Every structure is written in C-alpha cells, then in structure tokens.
Amino acid sequence: MSDYASIKALHATLPPFAPMVPTALLPYIAFFSLLGSFVLAFLFSTLPKSRNPVPELATAAVASLLAGAGIVALFCTVGVYV
C-alpha cells in the first residue's frame, strides 16, 4: 500500500496538463489547414497528367497532411479531444 501512497503524493505535486498549442488558436488552425487542403486537392485534380508522378505525389501528400491536421484541430475545437 505504500506504493499507492507514494504515487498519490507524486501525482498531487505534478503541475496540471497544459497543451503545447493554445486552445484559442484551434479554430484558426482548423480553418486554414482545411482551406489549404481543399485548395491543394483542387490543384491536384487540375494538374496536367505527365509522365513524372513526383509533383502529383507531393501535392497529394501535402494536401493529405493538411486535411488530417485540420480534422484533428476541428474535432478539438468542438470539444472532441482526440
């Protein structure tokens, strides 16, 4: 039982959790990330087809990363902390 008491005492002395990104910035991060992903998705769909797939893959990868970050920020904005 002494282990539980020591862990409880340690827990009481720890500082509260503080997120690295202020929660007030989450709506703006969500908006601009999703806006960027939609713009890049449009750009990806209108790129001329070429034999070199690198520009298409780079555009799609950046759009995918922005969409993922935007969805997570949007969920956190509305209170679903994932």
Side-chain angles (χ1 to χ4, degrees):
M1 199 55 120
S2 65
D3 289 335
Y4 175 75
S6 64
I7 292 174
K8 186 176 178 182
L10 177 64
H11 183 269
T13 61
L14 292 174
F17 174 76
M20 293 172 52
V21 177
T23 55
L25 290 179
L26 287 175
Y28 302 107
I29 293 171
F31 177 75
F32 288 114
S33 294
L34 290 172
L35 179 68
S37 70
F38 290 138
V39 168
L40 287 175
F42 175 76
L43 178 66
F44 176 75
S45 66
T46 59
L47 280 176
K49 302 301 178 216
S50 66
R51 297 189 66 111
N52 185 8
V54 174
E56 293 177 2
L57 290 175
T59 304
V62 172
S64 177
L65 290 173
L66 284 175
I71 291 295
V72 169
L74 183 65
F75 278 9
C76 290
T77 298
V78 297
V80 181
Y81 295 104
V82 294

